[in-house]
Amino acid sequence: MDVVPFLHDDRFFLNIPTCSKLCVTCRCVAVTNVRTTDGKLHERQSLLQKRACICQSNMGYELRRDNPATDADTSKVLGTQRRVILLTWQILAFILGLFLIAAVITILALLRRDSCCSSPSYDYPESLISSMDGDDLPSNLPLTQVNTTFSDSPTNISGLPINNLRFVTRNEWGAQPPTEPLGKLKHPVPYVIISHTATEFCDTQSTCAFRVCFAQVFHMESRNWSDIAYNFLIGGDAYAYIGRGWDHVGAHAYGYNSRSIGISFIGTYNTVAPSDHQMNALQQLIEIGVKSGKIAADYKLLGHRQVSKTPSPGDALYNIITTWPHWSPTP
């Protein structure tokens, strides 16, 4: 039996692994010359046509296009592909833009937090709130504008022995300026009042500066005070952080603010005692105040709990200062 391929201009030859889609869009044609009767010839041609669509993965067949693609059809397909690609790029650009916006917001939030411009992110314990008494300025007390560099810093007093005590200025810990002028203290003050911030501890200048800055934000924004409450703070790094300084009325002990220097230890000292370095820093700070005429030579050393209803400065710290010569059991 001879098999002769029939070729024409509108037909082409393909050899592909499957015809599942090809059978839908095209017609498989197998042309043979069989020397037999007409009936057998028609039956053989029909069988070959059925087998062509099933077995063409292993064979090559002549295929004829029933509806050849026009230029308009090709343009339509290409246009659809272009739109899909363009839409994909638009989606990717939108997602990338969202990531960039999120990154910028995160960076700004971190910068805002580090510069102490944000509000506190957690609630302070009740012990801290109860340990802050606010401003109690007499109505006839003179008011003066506070310089944010605090020129009354003990580091600027000529001839004053500061030993090895390190003062951290307001500019260094990133203080905000007071919202209103602060009252001037009348020197020398008769009291030194010791408290604690009742917050987390710190042991480096960066973490201590952040704690001080955080306390200022809480006092000013949550308590609506004009500045940080304390005159000085002592960190776990044994540095003295300048709050309102030597010359300005604090807001640390109601009824005693205008007659005292308030010094607060950063941290919570109910069961944990300050280090020897911190206690040495406190001693030096008081000595500087006495020698500079800011604190009376016969001053009384008090714990915050002695003048306010609060556990401040914590049992561990309070038990230490009660052994110091200037501590007084009564104000």
Side-chain angles (χ1 to χ4, degrees):
M1 179 176 62
D2 297 331
V3 178
V4 180
F6 181 79
L7 300 178
H8 196 268
D9 292 340
D10 63 347
R11 300 179 183 182
F12 55 94
F13 187 82
L14 292 179
N15 188 2
I16 59 177
T18 179
C19 193
S20 60
K21 293 183 180 180
L22 190 61
C23 290
V24 176
T25 58
C26 63
R27 181 174 58 192
C28 301
V29 179
V31 181
T32 60
N33 287 329
V34 181
R35 295 183 180 87
T36 179
T37 63
D38 291 339
K40 291 183 179 180
L41 178 60
H42 292 304
E43 183 179 357
R44 185 59 175 169
Q45 287 178 340
S46 176
L47 179 62
L48 287 175
Q49 289 176 356
K50 293 179 182 179
R51 186 182 301 171
C53 291
I54 297 174
C55 305
Q56 65 177 328
S57 60
N58 298 322
M59 299 177 60
Y61 294 94
E62 293 179 3
L63 304 179
R64 184 174 63 193
R65 297 177 182 172
D66 290 338
N67 297 311
T70 64
D71 292 340
D73 295 334
T74 303
S75 300
K76 184 177 181 181
V77 172
L78 292 177
T80 302
Q81 292 176 347
R82 292 192 187 97
R83 286 193 295 271
V84 171
I85 294 173
L86 180 59
L87 180 61
T88 302
W89 278 108
Q90 289 175 339
I91 293 175
L92 291 176
F94 178 75
I95 295 174
L96 179 60
L98 290 179
F99 276 111
L100 290 177
I101 293 174
V104 171
I105 293 175
T106 302
I107 293 173
L108 292 177
L110 292 175
L111 292 175
R112 182 179 176 87
R113 183 198 68 179
D114 292 339
S115 63
C116 282
C117 294
S118 59
S119 300
S121 58
Y122 63 87
D123 294 332
Y124 276 80
E126 185 63 29
S127 59
L128 172 61
I129 298 176
S130 63
S131 67
M132 301 172 183
D133 298 297
D135 298 311
D136 60 337
L137 301 180
S139 57
N140 60 348
L141 192 64
L143 298 178
T144 58
Q145 181 66 45
V146 177
N147 190 324
T148 58
T149 61
F150 271 85
S151 59
D152 59 340
S153 166
T155 55
N156 294 331
I157 298 178
S158 59
L160 183 66
I162 62 172
N163 299 325
N164 59 347
L165 180 60
R166 165 77 161 88
F167 285 89
V168 180
T169 66
R170 290 173 63 93
N171 282 342
E172 288 178 303
W173 60 260
Q176 300 181 49
T179 57
E180 61 185 8
L182 302 179
K184 292 279 289 184
L185 283 171
K186 183 178 180 181
H187 299 117
V189 296
Y191 298 105
V192 175
I193 299 177
I194 308 301
S195 63
H196 68 178
T197 60
T199 58
E200 297 180 6
F201 298 96
C202 64
D203 54 8
T204 64
Q205 182 175 346
S206 60
T207 55
C208 289
F210 177 75
R211 298 280 183 265
V212 176
C213 189
F214 204 76
Q216 186 195 37
V217 172
F218 176 73
H219 292 173
M220 296 177 68
E221 296 188 7
S222 297
R223 307 300 291 176
N224 199 29
W225 296 341
S226 52
D227 197 0
I228 190 170
Y230 318 110
N231 296 95
F232 295 95
L233 300 95
I234 295 178
D237 54 1
Y239 291 170
Y241 291 79
I242 300 175
R244 300 199 183 195
W246 293 115
D247 296 336
H248 298 92
V249 177
H252 53 89
Y254 186 81
Y256 290 83
N257 290 326
S258 60
R259 297 180 290 162
S260 65
I261 292 293
I263 304 174
S264 189
F265 281 70
I266 302 173
T268 304
Y269 295 92
N270 296 326
T271 58
V272 178
S275 67
D276 292 339
H277 293 292
Q278 289 176 277
M279 299 310 297
N280 182 56
L282 174 61
Q283 184 179 8
Q284 291 186 55
L285 180 60
I286 295 175
E287 289 177 358
I288 291 172
V290 172
K291 292 179 180 180
S292 62
K294 309 295 183 181
I295 300 174
D298 59 346
Y299 69 91
K300 289 184 178 181
L301 181 65
L302 302 174
H304 193 194
R305 62 178 62 182
Q306 294 180 260
V307 296
S308 299
K309 294 180 179 180
T310 173
S312 176
D315 292 339
L317 176 54
Y318 183 71
N319 291 336
I320 295 176
I321 65 173
T322 56
T323 64
W324 286 22
H326 282 269
W327 178 77
S328 174
T330 58

